[in-house]
Each structure stands twice: as structure tokens, then as C-alpha cells.
Amino acid sequence: MMQHARAPVHATATPPHPSREQHQKAPNNRFIPVYDHADQEIGTTASRRTRRGDFLRAATWAITQRLHPKAGDTTLRVARDLAARLNADGHVAYCRDTMWRRLGISRRTLERHIAVLRELGLLVWAVHGSRTNTRPAGIGEWAGTATIYAAVVPRAWDDVLGHRVSGHGYHARHIGFTKHGRQLAIAEARRRTRPSHRRDAPSCNTNQPRPKAEMGGKKNNTSAPPRGRPRRGCRHKVPEPYRASPQQAAHAVSVAAWVRPRVPWTQGEALRRLAFALRPWIAAGLSAADIAADLSVWRIPRRPASPASVIMARWNKSAEQEEPNPVPGPCEETADAVPPNPAFLEAMATVHARLNTLYPPAEPEPDPPGFVIRDRILASLAKADLARRARTAEQCLTFAEWETVCATRERAPW
């Protein structure tokens, strides 16, 4: 893809003075196309800058008024394609090699209609394309400079619509309307806001059979029987293990923010969806470290499509497999259990004390906020990128890899 030139377009495009070849009207009040290429530049044009809407309206007006003998429907198609790609400054990249294929015309036809738009005063050159290579020498890559056009409207179009224009050339501004132009603008605004009075076709189900009223009873007034349509209930009903208060939902989000960067296969899921799936685990009393340890040992594909669905399915499966312990009935006799003797209890206390001495219980790690986790990830990525750039020729496996390292060092800023 071609690179855009870094030329200061607005700085060089100073308001020009009108030249002898830039008159938009002849003495007989007829439009004169701009055939000279020197008058089709952003700094020498007599047309003013515009945006998408006015550009399309001016192009439609110029083509329907037959201001150019070679303008037609294809010219309007080219103008619409350019208008769809205009940026906020009213500039658009030419992209000739893809534009003629997209429009289904030949390259020569596209060039001819682009020239027609320039001669109508609707396009001017902002940046001229060049085949000069903009990439550093020695890396084996080529990229030229793209042609950038600026959308403009001719002064003749402003005069027809009664626009009051301040200034001359590309930097001229539309500041108001004349008396005739105000009437045209009001009529155009009314036409746009007028509602469409269309009649809908009658429905085919208008003559539906109606229920008959019940005439039984002594009262004179009767009412139709109630319809059998059931009343719509609540659409979304959250299951019991996933219900949470606002405070519990916020805590679940913080837990999910701690778990997601530590479990690789959950990093493709949104934070709130992951927090919703982890609500039963949090309600069961598991900490963030316990949840991360449990999720890390699961045999899950590298990148599942929906990690939250996998977690919810695993929880539902484990909940179904758990069966309540059988409660002995009133007629059943419970087995006699022998209580432990004091020697056994003393030995167990000694073992627990020794284990606590060798392996003291770890304090729960506080949940860091999301921006701290993000800064840690960005720091680790920057450190890895710095280490990759600092490799030597012996550390590279192939010669192409070493060439890539050298090219990266050449493009890096001082």
C-alpha cells in the first residue's frame, strides 16, 4: 500500500489571487471548464473546499446541467466512490489500481472521468503521487507515494444556489445566502423533512373470526370472553447460582480482571462475561488464586470461541454430578463410630504444628486493579520487544531473521 506524503498541505495551500485563466464564466454567462493543469492544484484553484454532501450535490448539478461534454453517469459513479472515502478534511486517496476494479470499468476510463471532475472544478490535487521509493534502502521493499485529491465546488455552483462566499480559492468560506438563495435553501430543507405519504397495503388477516359474546345470565350487558393469549412473562431470568448484588458483581469483575491475564485460554473473553461465568465459583468461597489454579489445569483448546460458555458448562456439569448424601431414615440404624483416643489427637496436633512450621500458610494476594495489570502486561511486552531487537547474529536462527533485526534498527528513531 502506498504511503501518504508528509507534505504540509494546508500550509502550502495559501489563498491564491485569481489568474487570467480561472474565470468560471465567460462573457456570455456560460461555464468554462478548467483545462489547464496549473489551475487544478490546491494552491491555485478558484473552487472552495467542501465536504461530502456539497461535493455530491455539486457533482450532480454539474453533470445534469451538461457543463462538460464528456460528463455522464459514469462520472457520477466515480464521484460517489470518491465521496464515500473522503476524510474529515475533505481529502481522499486516489487508489487507482483498486478503484477501477471496484467500479467495473477500465483504467483508462477511470482516468478520463477523474480528469473530467478536475476540469469541472470538483477535484484538485493535494499531493501528487510518485513512484519514488519511500522505504529505507537495502530492506528489499518498495512503496511509492499516493495521489491525494481534495474535494471542492466551483464558484458557478455557489452563484446558482445563491451562496455568499468570503474569500477566494481553496480557503474561501460559505458565510450566508442571498435573498434568492435563502428561498432555495428553505425549499430544499422542507423537501428533505417532508414525510412520505405512502399507503400501506391492507393486511390479509383483517377479517379474522371474532369470538362470540356469551348470552347466558340475566344481565343485559355482556362482554366477550377473555382471549387465550398467555401473558408474556419476564424474558431474561438469571439462574440462581449466577444472581448477584451490585457489590458482588463488582467483586466478580475484579476477580475476573485478576484471573484473565493468568489463564491464557480466557484472554479472548470480555471482562464482564468472564465475571458472570465465575460468579458460582466466587459464591462457593474460592479466591482468585484458587480459581486461576483450577482453570489452568483444565484441558481446553488454545483459543476457545467462548471461554465463558466453557466455564458455565463445566460448572453445570459438576453441579449435576454432585449428589446429596443419603440421610438415614427413622427406621435405619446408624453405624457406631469410635471416637479418637487422646494419643491420636496429640499426634495429629504435632503433625499439624510441624507442617505449619515448614510450610506457613500463604496470605491471600490482594486483587490489583485493572490498570495495574494492564501496565504490567505492557511493560512485559516492551521488555520482550527490546530483547528481540537486541539480538546478535549468533542468536538468530536464519539469515532472514537477522536482516529483519537490522531493518528494525534502521527504522527505529534515534
Side-chain angles (χ1 to χ4, degrees), residues 5-196:
R6 298 180 181 176
V9 177
H10 297 288
T12 59
T14 57
H17 60 278
S19 62
R20 55 184 176 84
E21 297 183 358
Q22 285 187 346
H23 299 289
Q24 296 294 329
K25 288 188 178 181
N28 57 355
N29 201 22
R30 296 184 60 186
F31 178 83
I32 296 180
V34 185
Y35 290 110
D36 193 357
H37 285 189
D39 298 334
Q40 298 174 4
E41 300 286 344
I42 196 173
T44 58
T45 181
S47 303
R48 65 176 179 88
R49 60 187 302 182
T50 185
R51 299 296 177 87
R52 180 179 303 170
D54 287 347
F55 172 72
L56 282 178
R57 284 191 288 270
T60 305
W61 168 80
I63 294 171
T64 54
Q65 294 296 324
R66 302 293 182 181
L67 300 184
H68 197 285
K70 297 182 180 179
D73 296 338
T74 306
T75 311
L76 187 57
R77 289 179 55 202
V78 173
R80 288 172 179 171
D81 185 89
L82 294 173
R85 296 185 286 113
L86 284 176
N87 61 6
D89 296 330
H91 294 176
V92 59
Y94 185 13
C95 300
R96 179 187 59 184
D97 295 337
T98 58
M99 188 174 176
W100 67 272
R101 293 189 181 93
R102 183 168 57 250
L103 295 177
I105 57 179
S106 63
R107 182 181 302 179
R108 179 57 186 158
T109 302
L110 175 63
E111 294 175 353
R112 184 169 63 252
H113 288 282
I114 288 291
V116 169
L117 291 176
R118 292 200 310 267
E119 294 172 0
L120 285 172
L122 297 171
L123 284 181
V124 291
W125 274 298
V127 176
H128 284 273
S130 174
R131 295 187 64 84
T132 304
N133 193 4
T134 59
R135 297 294 178 87
I139 66 174
E141 298 180 1
W142 176 88
T145 305
T147 300
I148 307 297
Y149 281 114
V152 292
V153 290
R155 189 60 178 267
W157 183 72
D158 289 329
D159 295 341
V160 169
L161 295 184
H163 292 172
R164 293 173 54 200
V165 179
S166 174
H168 182 81
Y170 181 75
H171 291 279
R173 297 183 298 109
H174 175 209
I175 60 175
F177 295 91
T178 62
K179 185 177 181 180
H180 177 65
R182 188 177 299 106
Q183 295 177 358
L184 294 178
I186 293 174
E188 179 67 16
R190 289 177 178 175
R191 186 187 63 82
R192 293 182 184 178
T193 58
R194 184 182 300 121
S196 58

Side-chain angles (χ1 to χ4, degrees), residues 333-341:
E333 297 182 359
T334 57
D336 296 335
V338 179
N341 53 15

Side-chain angles (χ1 to χ4, degrees), residues 23 39 123 125 151 180 193 236 256 265 274 278 311 317 342 349 382 408:
H23 299 289
D39 298 334
L123 284 181
W125 274 298
H180 177 65
T193 58
H236 307 286
W265 60 270
L274 183 62
L278 294 179
I311 296 174
K317 185 178 179 181
T408 305

Side-chain angles (χ1 to χ4, degrees), residues 284-356:
L286 297 179
S287 63
D290 297 337
I291 295 175
D294 292 345
L295 298 182
S296 300
V297 298
W298 289 5
R299 293 187 177 182
I300 303 296
R302 185 174 182 181
R303 289 293 181 186
S306 178
S309 301
V310 175
I311 296 174
M312 294 173 68
R314 185 66 65 92
W315 173 264
N316 296 335
K317 185 178 179 181
S318 61
E320 292 177 358
Q321 291 179 355
E322 292 181 356
E323 296 181 358
N325 297 326
V327 180
C331 299
E332 297 180 3
E333 297 182 359
T334 57
D336 296 335
V338 179
N341 53 15
F344 178 78
L345 295 177
E346 185 179 357
M348 289 297 298
T350 304
V351 171
H352 283 299
R354 185 172 180 81
L355 288 177
N356 292 334

